[in-house]
Amino acid sequence: MLIDNPKGGFSFVKGIGPFSSGAVANAGFEIVHAIAVPVIKLDDGYEVIERHMRDAGRPMNAVCGMELRIPKPLTPAGFEEFNRGYLKRLAAWEVHLDGNNPIARTNVAIEIAPVTEPVLFGFYYTVPCSTRSRTFVLAGAGEVKSMRGTDLEIVAGSDVSPAGLTEKTKFVMDLLSDRLGEMKMTWADATSVNLYTVHDAHPMIASTILPAIGTAANRGITWHYSRPPIIAMELEIDAHAAMREIVIAK
């Protein structure tokens, strides 16, 4: 379900409470990817985003994606608790549209040299443009078939054999392909595809991910040695298309 967000200059695929499933720039707009170097403590990161948007002359409604890092994967209950604070800040920004959260999100735990508290890794926002834009951001997706409260249905369960991981990866790639279709985009439009897992990624990359993304494989993928945000999950994948990538500092 694609929902227009005219105040933000983008449309989004309806997701769940904490995030949308993805966002695509509307005609006359493009999505910019801003990366925090170094990463910024999340509470300070919100203020950095607010200041950056003011300086850019864009409303908070133009924020369409968030990239967060957390110290370690959470239990489903811990994930819900984390989201309460996050959603409180988004509510203060008044970005929800008819009760729907338009902002996509990836939120993973770095395995080596982890952060000690939640941090802002990057964010996405729209700006006006005079050229035809094919820019988007997909929220990180894992191998979760369904999530009811704290109950998760995980594809291939706890199987992290090559066969199990391949099954999980295929499910995620099919899910993301469907979301791209809703946005009338394709993998060929992607300028960045990211895989988050601590398991051996080589079989999944060769057999499942690269064949699925078509010509975007020419640009390769980025493997982040990280874990998804919930303990039961084993991998996550996201992607975006951005004509401009900028670095910001606190």
Side-chain angles (χ1 to χ4, degrees), residues 5-246:
N5 183 18
K7 289 183 179 179
F10 66 93
S11 299
F12 62 96
V13 180
K14 185 176 181 178
I16 59 176
F19 45 83
S20 73
S21 294
V24 58
N26 288 345
F29 292 89
E30 67 172 309
I31 291 174
V32 176
H33 182 206
I35 305 167
V37 180
V39 295
I40 304 168
K41 177 183 174 182
L42 185 53
D43 286 342
D44 295 338
Y46 294 130
E47 296 175 4
V48 167
I49 294 172
E50 292 166 4
R51 183 170 64 248
H52 183 84
M53 298 303 286
R54 285 195 301 269
D55 292 346
R58 298 294 292 146
M60 294 306 296
N61 303 86
V63 177
C64 56
M66 297 278 279
E67 293 175 305
L68 310 181
R69 300 294 185 262
I70 54 177
K72 61 182 180 180
L74 304 166
T75 64
F79 185 66
E80 283 194 348
E81 175 62 26
F82 173 84
N83 287 328
R84 276 192 281 273
Y86 175 77
L87 289 171
K88 184 177 180 180
R89 193 60 176 246
L90 265 56
W93 288 351
E94 299 182 344
V95 296
H96 284 76
L97 188 67
D98 297 327
N100 295 302
N101 184 352
I103 300 178
R105 190 180 81 183
T106 294
N107 179 27
V108 296
I110 301 168
E111 182 73 2
I112 305 298
V115 297
T116 57
E117 60 185 321
V119 300
L120 174 69
F121 182 85
F123 63 99
Y124 301 80
Y125 63 97
T126 62
V127 295
C129 72
S130 58
T131 59
R132 182 170 177 267
S133 169
R134 292 187 62 80
T135 52
F136 70 85
V137 54
L138 285 174
E143 75 278 29
V144 179
K145 276 189 177 180
S146 65
M147 184 175 182
R148 295 183 178 87
T150 58
D151 294 326
L152 301 180
E153 183 181 1
I154 302 292
V155 173
S158 59
D159 183 2
V160 292
S161 69
L165 289 170
T166 297
E167 184 179 352
K168 292 171 182 290
T169 304
K170 185 178 186 308
F171 171 85
V172 175
M173 293 302 293
D174 288 345
L175 181 64
L176 293 178
S177 293
D178 289 344
R179 292 174 181 174
L180 282 170
E182 289 189 64
M183 295 190 291
K184 295 181 173 55
M185 304 294 281
T186 70
W187 285 109
D189 297 306
T191 57
S192 178
V193 178
N194 300 290
L195 169 66
Y196 308 89
T197 188
V198 298
H199 300 289
D200 182 7
H202 295 93
M204 296 123 63
I205 291 171
S207 69
T208 308
I209 299 176
L210 291 179
I213 65 177
T215 56
N218 296 338
R219 294 181 284 281
I221 71 166
T222 301
W223 173 12
H224 301 256
Y225 198 69
S226 303
R227 294 183 184 273
I230 300 178
I231 290 171
M233 298 166 61
E234 301 295 347
L235 62 90
E236 187 158 306
I237 299 171
D238 68 20
H240 68 258
M243 301 301 106
R244 284 190 279 171
E245 308 256 3
I246 65 173

